[in-house]
Amino acid sequence: MENEEKFSVDTENLKTETKETVNQVKESIKNVNLKNDAEETKGFLKEMFSNPFEAVRMVATEEENVFKKVIIIMAAFILASAAYAIISVIKYGEFLDIFDNIMTIVAGILYPVAFVLAPSVIVLILNKNNKKSLITIISTIAVASVPVVINHFIDLVEILVSGISIITGPISTGLSAVAMILTYFGMKDLFGIEEHKIKVVKMKQEE
């Protein structure tokens, strides 16, 4: 019975969070000032490169609301992924039928959304002791995934310039490793693991 309660899914909360997130995304997209928000995102990324763990922590702990910047980051992610898919179809599409080519492009557009949204929903479901909004979780995963976004632009260069992967390969590998580490620490901040440890230590000291 304990296990059933532990892993039960609050569908009502999930529906509410999803609805609120969709509304906030719509509102944020309506209010996006592309020039200003792009400049602010550029500034945020510069700060992030100087201290990436602190940037992820501030987003996960809701000390900083970066959702508009996340929209810009996700737009760049979708653009790079979709462009790669389109170029792939142009270069290699003759070997596939029309349906496969269309599905390649659709997958290229949807992949970035699924890449961020799928783990975000899993965190929302599992994180019962340190509740965070879906917007906060998505923002954290997206910010931690910035190295993956850069990798997609590197992929674009690789598909256009033959032989350059000798140079870009190690860079891509390093960026993938950084993304995994940032995601790990972002998850820890979302679940409040460090905070939990501190409380346990204090309780032991009081005993």
Side-chain angles (χ1 to χ4, degrees):
M1 290 292 290
E2 285 181 7
N3 287 336
E4 286 178 11
E5 290 177 7
K6 198 171 184 180
F7 294 104
S8 63
V9 177
D10 188 344
T11 52
E12 284 304 315
N13 178 57
L14 189 57
K15 284 178 186 175
T16 303
E17 282 289 345
T18 304
K19 189 176 178 182
E20 287 177 3
T21 301
V22 169
N23 290 336
Q24 193 165 339
V25 169
K26 285 179 182 176
E27 195 63 31
S28 297
I29 290 172
K30 272 199 301 186
N31 295 327
V32 162
N33 182 319
L34 195 57
K35 188 177 178 181
N36 290 344
D37 290 335
E39 279 299 315
E40 286 180 12
T41 304
K42 195 191 296 181
F44 171 76
L45 291 176
K46 282 181 183 177
E47 288 178 18
M48 181 185 170
F49 291 144
S50 64
N51 195 345
F53 298 104
E54 181 63 12
V56 172
R57 186 196 67 77
M58 288 183 72
V59 177
T61 55
E62 299 177 328
E63 290 179 34
E64 187 173 0
N65 185 346
V66 297
F67 193 63
K68 277 192 178 181
K69 299 176 184 72
V70 165
I71 289 173
I72 300 293
I73 291 167
M74 288 304 299
F77 196 174
I78 293 167
L79 177 66
S81 182
Y84 182 88
I86 291 167
I87 294 168
S88 296
V89 167
I90 293 169
K91 288 189 77 171
Y92 312 114
E94 60 185 297
F95 303 110
L96 302 169
D97 59 36
I98 294 174
F99 178 77
D100 287 334
N101 286 332
I102 292 170
M103 288 307 297
T104 298
I105 295 170
V106 171
I109 295 168
L110 296 180
Y111 170 76
V113 178
F115 184 88
V116 171
L117 192 58
S120 298
V121 172
I122 292 168
V123 171
L124 179 68
I125 292 168
L126 295 179
N127 193 9
K128 295 181 178 180
N129 297 324
N130 192 43
K131 284 288 184 185
K132 301 285 183 183
S133 70
L134 187 55
I135 288 291
T136 298
I137 299 168
I138 288 171
S139 297
T140 304
I141 301 294
V143 168
S145 300
V146 165
V148 176
V149 180
I150 297 170
N151 261 348
H152 272 67
F153 282 98
I154 291 174
D155 289 342
L156 269 179
V157 175
E158 287 179 348
I159 200 171
L160 291 169
V161 183
S162 60
I164 201 169
S165 57
I166 297 170
I167 300 168
T168 57
I171 297 171
S172 295
T173 302
L175 287 170
S176 297
V178 170
M180 287 176 66
I181 294 166
L182 288 177
T183 302
Y184 169 74
F185 280 99
M187 293 283 192
K188 281 181 72 176
D189 291 325
L190 286 170
F191 282 93
I193 291 174
E194 286 297 324
E195 195 176 307
H196 175 67
K197 283 183 179 177
I198 292 166
K199 286 179 181 176
V200 170
V201 170
K202 282 182 178 177
M203 285 174 68
K204 285 183 178 178
Q205 286 174 345
E206 286 174 4
E207 288 175 1

mmCIF file of all heavy atoms in Angstrom, residues 122-159:
data_model
loop_
_atom_site.group_PDB
_atom_site.id
_atom_site.type_symbol
_atom_site.label_atom_id
_atom_site.label_comp_id
_atom_site.label_asym_id
_atom_site.label_seq_id
_atom_site.Cartn_x
_atom_site.Cartn_y
_atom_site.Cartn_z
ATOM 1 N N ILE A 122 8.074 14.249 -15.863
ATOM 2 C CA ILE A 122 8.502 13.185 -14.938
ATOM 3 C C ILE A 122 8.898 13.784 -13.589
ATOM 4 O O ILE A 122 8.512 13.278 -12.527
ATOM 5 C CB ILE A 122 9.668 12.377 -15.535
ATOM 6 C CG1 ILE A 122 9.181 11.567 -16.743
ATOM 7 C CG2 ILE A 122 10.286 11.430 -14.492
ATOM 8 C CD1 ILE A 122 10.279 10.952 -17.576
ATOM 9 N N VAL A 123 9.655 14.892 -13.620
ATOM 10 C CA VAL A 123 10.060 15.565 -12.374
ATOM 11 C C VAL A 123 8.825 16.072 -11.626
ATOM 12 O O VAL A 123 8.731 15.936 -10.404
ATOM 13 C CB VAL A 123 11.034 16.728 -12.671
ATOM 14 C CG1 VAL A 123 11.281 17.561 -11.414
ATOM 15 C CG2 VAL A 123 12.356 16.200 -13.194
ATOM 16 N N LEU A 124 7.886 16.655 -12.355
ATOM 17 C CA LEU A 124 6.663 17.168 -11.730
ATOM 18 C C LEU A 124 5.908 16.058 -11.001
ATOM 19 O O LEU A 124 5.421 16.251 -9.882
ATOM 20 C CB LEU A 124 5.758 17.799 -12.795
ATOM 21 C CG LEU A 124 4.422 18.369 -12.296
ATOM 22 C CD1 LEU A 124 4.650 19.590 -11.422
ATOM 23 C CD2 LEU A 124 3.516 18.723 -13.469
ATOM 24 N N ILE A 125 5.835 14.879 -11.623
ATOM 25 C CA ILE A 125 5.112 13.747 -11.029
ATOM 26 C C ILE A 125 5.842 13.199 -9.802
ATOM 27 O O ILE A 125 5.225 12.910 -8.773
ATOM 28 C CB ILE A 125 4.915 12.626 -12.083
ATOM 29 C CG1 ILE A 125 3.943 13.092 -13.177
ATOM 30 C CG2 ILE A 125 4.391 11.347 -11.428
ATOM 31 C CD1 ILE A 125 3.911 12.184 -14.394
ATOM 32 N N LEU A 126 7.164 13.093 -9.903
ATOM 33 C CA LEU A 126 7.945 12.458 -8.826
ATOM 34 C C LEU A 126 8.261 13.395 -7.662
ATOM 35 O O LEU A 126 8.444 12.944 -6.537
ATOM 36 C CB LEU A 126 9.258 11.904 -9.394
ATOM 37 C CG LEU A 126 9.153 10.769 -10.418
ATOM 38 C CD1 LEU A 126 10.543 10.366 -10.886
ATOM 39 C CD2 LEU A 126 8.426 9.559 -9.827
ATOM 40 N N ASN A 127 8.320 14.682 -7.952
ATOM 41 C CA ASN A 127 8.763 15.643 -6.937
ATOM 42 C C ASN A 127 7.598 16.065 -6.037
ATOM 43 O O ASN A 127 7.028 17.138 -6.181
ATOM 44 C CB ASN A 127 9.376 16.867 -7.618
ATOM 45 C CG ASN A 127 10.131 17.744 -6.649
ATOM 46 O OD1 ASN A 127 10.357 17.376 -5.498
ATOM 47 N ND2 ASN A 127 10.528 18.912 -7.107
ATOM 48 N N LYS A 128 7.279 15.219 -5.072
ATOM 49 C CA LYS A 128 6.126 15.474 -4.202
ATOM 50 C C LYS A 128 6.509 16.198 -2.916
ATOM 51 O O LYS A 128 5.672 16.823 -2.273
ATOM 52 C CB LYS A 128 5.428 14.155 -3.857
ATOM 53 C CG LYS A 128 4.814 13.475 -5.069
ATOM 54 C CD LYS A 128 4.109 12.198 -4.695
ATOM 55 C CE LYS A 128 3.463 11.562 -5.924
ATOM 56 N NZ LYS A 128 2.755 10.313 -5.611
ATOM 57 N N ASN A 129 7.777 16.117 -2.534
ATOM 58 C CA ASN A 129 8.208 16.699 -1.259
ATOM 59 C C ASN A 129 8.738 18.121 -1.398
ATOM 60 O O ASN A 129 8.908 18.816 -0.407
ATOM 61 C CB ASN A 129 9.304 15.822 -0.625
ATOM 62 C CG ASN A 129 8.792 14.432 -0.284
ATOM 63 O OD1 ASN A 129 7.647 14.271 0.116
ATOM 64 N ND2 ASN A 129 9.636 13.429 -0.460
ATOM 65 N N ASN A 130 9.026 18.538 -2.609
ATOM 66 C CA ASN A 130 9.574 19.883 -2.819
ATOM 67 C C ASN A 130 8.923 20.482 -4.062
ATOM 68 O O ASN A 130 9.560 20.717 -5.076
ATOM 69 C CB ASN A 130 11.098 19.814 -2.980
ATOM 70 C CG ASN A 130 11.750 21.175 -2.901
ATOM 71 O OD1 ASN A 130 11.403 21.986 -2.057
ATOM 72 N ND2 ASN A 130 12.683 21.442 -3.791
ATOM 73 N N LYS A 131 7.607 20.698 -3.975
ATOM 74 C CA LYS A 131 6.787 21.075 -5.123
ATOM 75 C C LYS A 131 7.324 22.301 -5.864
ATOM 76 O O LYS A 131 7.655 23.314 -5.255
ATOM 77 C CB LYS A 131 5.356 21.374 -4.668
ATOM 78 C CG LYS A 131 4.536 20.132 -4.353
ATOM 79 C CD LYS A 131 4.183 19.392 -5.630
ATOM 80 C CE LYS A 131 3.285 18.203 -5.336
ATOM 81 N NZ LYS A 131 3.047 17.421 -6.546
ATOM 82 N N LYS A 132 7.420 22.162 -7.164
ATOM 83 C CA LYS A 132 7.787 23.257 -8.055
ATOM 84 C C LYS A 132 6.767 23.320 -9.186
ATOM 85 O O LYS A 132 6.196 22.300 -9.574
ATOM 86 C CB LYS A 132 9.178 23.031 -8.656
ATOM 87 C CG LYS A 132 10.307 22.895 -7.650
ATOM 88 C CD LYS A 132 10.689 24.222 -7.039
ATOM 89 C CE LYS A 132 11.859 24.062 -6.092
ATOM 90 N NZ LYS A 132 12.197 25.323 -5.425
ATOM 91 N N SER A 133 6.561 24.519 -9.718
ATOM 92 C CA SER A 133 5.637 24.649 -10.845
ATOM 93 C C SER A 133 6.271 24.035 -12.091
ATOM 94 O O SER A 133 7.502 23.948 -12.204
ATOM 95 C CB SER A 133 5.304 26.123 -11.097
ATOM 96 O OG SER A 133 6.438 26.792 -11.616
ATOM 97 N N LEU A 134 5.423 23.645 -13.036
ATOM 98 C CA LEU A 134 5.912 23.069 -14.287
ATOM 99 C C LEU A 134 6.761 24.090 -15.052
ATOM 100 O O LEU A 134 7.745 23.722 -15.706
ATOM 101 C CB LEU A 134 4.739 22.583 -15.149
ATOM 102 C CG LEU A 134 5.086 21.802 -16.421
ATOM 103 C CD1 LEU A 134 5.982 20.609 -16.129
ATOM 104 C CD2 LEU A 134 3.811 21.346 -17.131
ATOM 105 N N ILE A 135 6.395 25.369 -14.939
ATOM 106 C CA ILE A 135 7.170 26.432 -15.593
ATOM 107 C C ILE A 135 8.603 26.455 -15.053
ATOM 108 O O ILE A 135 9.574 26.554 -15.821
ATOM 109 C CB ILE A 135 6.503 27.808 -15.356
ATOM 110 C CG1 ILE A 135 5.219 27.932 -16.173
ATOM 111 C CG2 ILE A 135 7.466 28.949 -15.702
ATOM 112 C CD1 ILE A 135 5.411 28.027 -17.661
ATOM 113 N N THR A 136 8.748 26.356 -13.727
ATOM 114 C CA THR A 136 10.086 26.351 -13.104
ATOM 115 C C THR A 136 10.892 25.145 -13.561
ATOM 116 O O THR A 136 12.084 25.248 -13.868
ATOM 117 C CB THR A 136 9.962 26.341 -11.569
ATOM 118 O OG1 THR A 136 9.288 27.528 -11.149
ATOM 119 C CG2 THR A 136 11.327 26.277 -10.891
ATOM 120 N N ILE A 137 10.237 23.985 -13.611
ATOM 121 C CA ILE A 137 10.923 22.752 -14.012
ATOM 122 C C ILE A 137 11.366 22.837 -15.473
ATOM 123 O O ILE A 137 12.516 22.524 -15.802
ATOM 124 C CB ILE A 137 10.014 21.518 -13.794
ATOM 125 C CG1 ILE A 137 9.654 21.380 -12.313
ATOM 126 C CG2 ILE A 137 10.712 20.246 -14.271
ATOM 127 C CD1 ILE A 137 8.544 20.375 -12.030
ATOM 128 N N ILE A 138 10.463 23.281 -16.342
ATOM 129 C CA ILE A 138 10.805 23.430 -17.764
ATOM 130 C C ILE A 138 11.964 24.411 -17.933
ATOM 131 O O ILE A 138 12.904 24.157 -18.688
ATOM 132 C CB ILE A 138 9.573 23.903 -18.571
ATOM 133 C CG1 ILE A 138 8.545 22.774 -18.695
ATOM 134 C CG2 ILE A 138 9.980 24.400 -19.963
ATOM 135 C CD1 ILE A 138 7.217 23.207 -19.279
ATOM 136 N N SER A 139 11.903 25.524 -17.207
ATOM 137 C CA SER A 139 12.958 26.536 -17.297
ATOM 138 C C SER A 139 14.303 25.955 -16.874
ATOM 139 O O SER A 139 15.337 26.200 -17.524
ATOM 140 C CB SER A 139 12.616 27.744 -16.411
ATOM 141 O OG SER A 139 11.439 28.375 -16.860
ATOM 142 N N THR A 140 14.298 25.167 -15.795
ATOM 143 C CA THR A 140 15.539 24.567 -15.293
ATOM 144 C C THR A 140 16.128 23.588 -16.302
ATOM 145 O O THR A 140 17.328 23.638 -16.606
ATOM 146 C CB THR A 140 15.278 23.827 -13.962
ATOM 147 O OG1 THR A 140 14.691 24.741 -13.022
ATOM 148 C CG2 THR A 140 16.562 23.271 -13.381
ATOM 149 N N ILE A 141 15.283 22.707 -16.830
ATOM 150 C CA ILE A 141 15.751 21.715 -17.809
ATOM 151 C C ILE A 141 16.253 22.411 -19.073
ATOM 152 O O ILE A 141 17.289 22.037 -19.642
ATOM 153 C CB ILE A 141 14.621 20.719 -18.176
ATOM 154 C CG1 ILE A 141 14.112 19.962 -16.935
ATOM 155 C CG2 ILE A 141 15.099 19.729 -19.242
ATOM 156 C CD1 ILE A 141 15.104 19.037 -16.299
ATOM 157 N N ALA A 142 15.534 23.449 -19.513
ATOM 158 C CA ALA A 142 15.925 24.170 -20.733
ATOM 159 C C ALA A 142 17.269 24.877 -20.548
ATOM 160 O O ALA A 142 18.132 24.822 -21.431
ATOM 161 C CB ALA A 142 14.849 25.181 -21.117
ATOM 162 N N VAL A 143 17.452 25.526 -19.397
ATOM 163 C CA VAL A 143 18.715 26.232 -19.137
ATOM 164 C C VAL A 143 19.874 25.231 -19.034
ATOM 165 O O VAL A 143 20.962 25.463 -19.569
ATOM 166 C CB VAL A 143 18.602 27.081 -17.850
ATOM 167 C CG1 VAL A 143 19.966 27.594 -17.399
ATOM 168 C CG2 VAL A 143 17.652 28.259 -18.071
ATOM 169 N N ALA A 144 19.619 24.102 -18.366
ATOM 170 C CA ALA A 144 20.656 23.059 -18.260
ATOM 171 C C ALA A 144 20.978 22.448 -19.625
ATOM 172 O O ALA A 144 22.065 21.885 -19.822
ATOM 173 C CB ALA A 144 20.205 21.972 -17.291
ATOM 174 N N SER A 145 20.043 22.581 -20.578
ATOM 175 C CA SER A 145 20.213 21.990 -21.909
ATOM 176 C C SER A 145 20.857 22.939 -22.917
ATOM 177 O O SER A 145 20.975 22.591 -24.101
ATOM 178 C CB SER A 145 18.851 21.538 -22.459
ATOM 179 O OG SER A 145 18.264 20.568 -21.622
ATOM 180 N N VAL A 146 21.271 24.113 -22.474
ATOM 181 C CA VAL A 146 21.905 25.080 -23.385
ATOM 182 C C VAL A 146 23.080 24.458 -24.156
ATOM 183 O O VAL A 146 23.209 24.669 -25.372
ATOM 184 C CB VAL A 146 22.337 26.355 -22.625
ATOM 185 C CG1 VAL A 146 23.317 27.190 -23.452
ATOM 186 C CG2 VAL A 146 21.117 27.194 -22.274
ATOM 187 N N PRO A 147 23.951 23.636 -23.507
ATOM 188 C CA PRO A 147 25.028 22.994 -24.284
ATOM 189 C C PRO A 147 24.503 22.079 -25.399
ATOM 190 O O PRO A 147 25.140 21.942 -26.448
ATOM 191 C CB PRO A 147 25.781 22.172 -23.219
ATOM 192 C CG PRO A 147 25.510 22.878 -21.934
ATOM 193 C CD PRO A 147 24.104 23.368 -22.068
ATOM 194 N N VAL A 148 23.325 21.475 -25.179
ATOM 195 C CA VAL A 148 22.714 20.629 -26.213
ATOM 196 C C VAL A 148 22.264 21.492 -27.395
ATOM 197 O O VAL A 148 22.401 21.090 -28.557
ATOM 198 C CB VAL A 148 21.504 19.841 -25.634
ATOM 199 C CG1 VAL A 148 20.812 19.030 -26.719
ATOM 200 C CG2 VAL A 148 21.955 18.926 -24.504
ATOM 201 N N VAL A 149 21.731 22.679 -27.093
ATOM 202 C CA VAL A 149 21.316 23.608 -28.151
ATOM 203 C C VAL A 149 22.536 24.005 -28.992
ATOM 204 O O VAL A 149 22.476 24.014 -30.229
ATOM 205 C CB VAL A 149 20.656 24.870 -27.541
ATOM 206 C CG1 VAL A 149 20.233 25.835 -28.652
ATOM 207 C CG2 VAL A 149 19.448 24.489 -26.683
ATOM 208 N N ILE A 150 23.639 24.305 -28.312
ATOM 209 C CA ILE A 150 24.877 24.653 -29.025
ATOM 210 C C ILE A 150 25.310 23.481 -29.911
ATOM 211 O O ILE A 150 25.744 23.669 -31.056
ATOM 212 C CB ILE A 150 25.991 25.026 -28.028
ATOM 213 C CG1 ILE A 150 25.595 26.281 -27.237
ATOM 214 C CG2 ILE A 150 27.323 25.254 -28.756
ATOM 215 C CD1 ILE A 150 26.499 26.598 -26.067
ATOM 216 N N ASN A 151 25.176 22.269 -29.372
ATOM 217 C CA ASN A 151 25.532 21.064 -30.150
ATOM 218 C C ASN A 151 24.727 20.960 -31.433
ATOM 219 O O ASN A 151 25.231 20.489 -32.467
ATOM 220 C CB ASN A 151 25.319 19.803 -29.310
ATOM 221 C CG ASN A 151 26.615 19.302 -28.708
ATOM 222 O OD1 ASN A 151 27.702 19.752 -29.075
ATOM 223 N ND2 ASN A 151 26.524 18.366 -27.783
ATOM 224 N N HIS A 152 23.456 21.365 -31.390
ATOM 225 C CA HIS A 152 22.624 21.285 -32.593
ATOM 226 C C HIS A 152 23.103 22.264 -33.663
ATOM 227 O O HIS A 152 22.999 21.976 -34.863
ATOM 228 C CB HIS A 152 21.155 21.533 -32.239
ATOM 229 C CG HIS A 152 20.429 20.281 -31.852
ATOM 230 N ND1 HIS A 152 20.722 19.586 -30.707
ATOM 231 C CD2 HIS A 152 19.440 19.576 -32.475
ATOM 232 C CE1 HIS A 152 19.945 18.515 -30.634
ATOM 233 N NE2 HIS A 152 19.168 18.484 -31.692
ATOM 234 N N PHE A 153 23.619 23.418 -33.250
ATOM 235 C CA PHE A 153 24.196 24.349 -34.226
ATOM 236 C C PHE A 153 25.509 23.804 -34.781
ATOM 237 O O PHE A 153 25.824 24.002 -35.957
ATOM 238 C CB PHE A 153 24.385 25.730 -33.587
ATOM 239 C CG PHE A 153 23.113 26.518 -33.484
ATOM 240 C CD1 PHE A 153 22.385 26.558 -32.309
ATOM 241 C CD2 PHE A 153 22.621 27.206 -34.586
ATOM 242 C CE1 PHE A 153 21.191 27.273 -32.212
ATOM 243 C CE2 PHE A 153 21.429 27.935 -34.511
ATOM 244 C CZ PHE A 153 20.712 27.961 -33.326
ATOM 245 N N ILE A 154 26.253 23.094 -33.929
ATOM 246 C CA ILE A 154 27.475 22.432 -34.403
ATOM 247 C C ILE A 154 27.121 21.345 -35.424
ATOM 248 O O ILE A 154 27.801 21.183 -36.438
ATOM 249 C CB ILE A 154 28.266 21.836 -33.213
ATOM 250 C CG1 ILE A 154 28.853 22.959 -32.356
ATOM 251 C CG2 ILE A 154 29.389 20.915 -33.705
ATOM 252 C CD1 ILE A 154 29.529 22.496 -31.081
ATOM 253 N N ASP A 155 26.029 20.606 -35.149
ATOM 254 C CA ASP A 155 25.551 19.589 -36.105
ATOM 255 C C ASP A 155 25.252 20.212 -37.471
ATOM 256 O O ASP A 155 25.509 19.604 -38.519
ATOM 257 C CB ASP A 155 24.298 18.894 -35.570
ATOM 258 C CG ASP A 155 24.595 17.976 -34.394
ATOM 259 O OD1 ASP A 155 25.765 17.611 -34.207
ATOM 260 O OD2 ASP A 155 23.639 17.637 -33.662
ATOM 261 N N LEU A 156 24.675 21.427 -37.443
ATOM 262 C CA LEU A 156 24.373 22.142 -38.692
ATOM 263 C C LEU A 156 25.651 22.410 -39.487
ATOM 264 O O LEU A 156 25.690 22.228 -40.706
ATOM 265 C CB LEU A 156 23.692 23.479 -38.376
ATOM 266 C CG LEU A 156 22.175 23.503 -38.310
ATOM 267 C CD1 LEU A 156 21.694 24.899 -37.952
ATOM 268 C CD2 LEU A 156 21.554 23.054 -39.616
ATOM 269 N N VAL A 157 26.678 22.846 -38.771
ATOM 270 C CA VAL A 157 27.967 23.114 -39.424
ATOM 271 C C VAL A 157 28.536 21.819 -40.011
ATOM 272 O O VAL A 157 29.036 21.793 -41.137
ATOM 273 C CB VAL A 157 28.962 23.742 -38.421
ATOM 274 C CG1 VAL A 157 30.340 23.917 -39.072
ATOM 275 C CG2 VAL A 157 28.440 25.084 -37.918
ATOM 276 N N GLU A 158 28.429 20.739 -39.236
ATOM 277 C CA GLU A 158 28.986 19.450 -39.670
ATOM 278 C C GLU A 158 28.312 18.918 -40.933
ATOM 279 O O GLU A 158 28.984 18.337 -41.798
ATOM 280 C CB GLU A 158 28.871 18.419 -38.548
ATOM 281 C CG GLU A 158 29.839 18.653 -37.401
ATOM 282 C CD GLU A 158 29.700 17.635 -36.288
ATOM 283 O OE1 GLU A 158 28.703 16.866 -36.287
ATOM 284 O OE2 GLU A 158 30.564 17.605 -35.401
ATOM 285 N N ILE A 159 26.995 19.126 -41.022
ATOM 286 C CA ILE A 159 26.288 18.595 -42.194
ATOM 287 C C ILE A 159 26.554 19.462 -43.440
ATOM 288 O O ILE A 159 26.415 18.990 -44.577
ATOM 289 C CB ILE A 159 24.762 18.474 -41.928
ATOM 290 C CG1 ILE A 159 24.135 17.490 -42.915
ATOM 291 C CG2 ILE A 159 24.070 19.819 -41.985
ATOM 292 C CD1 ILE A 159 22.695 17.132 -42.598
#
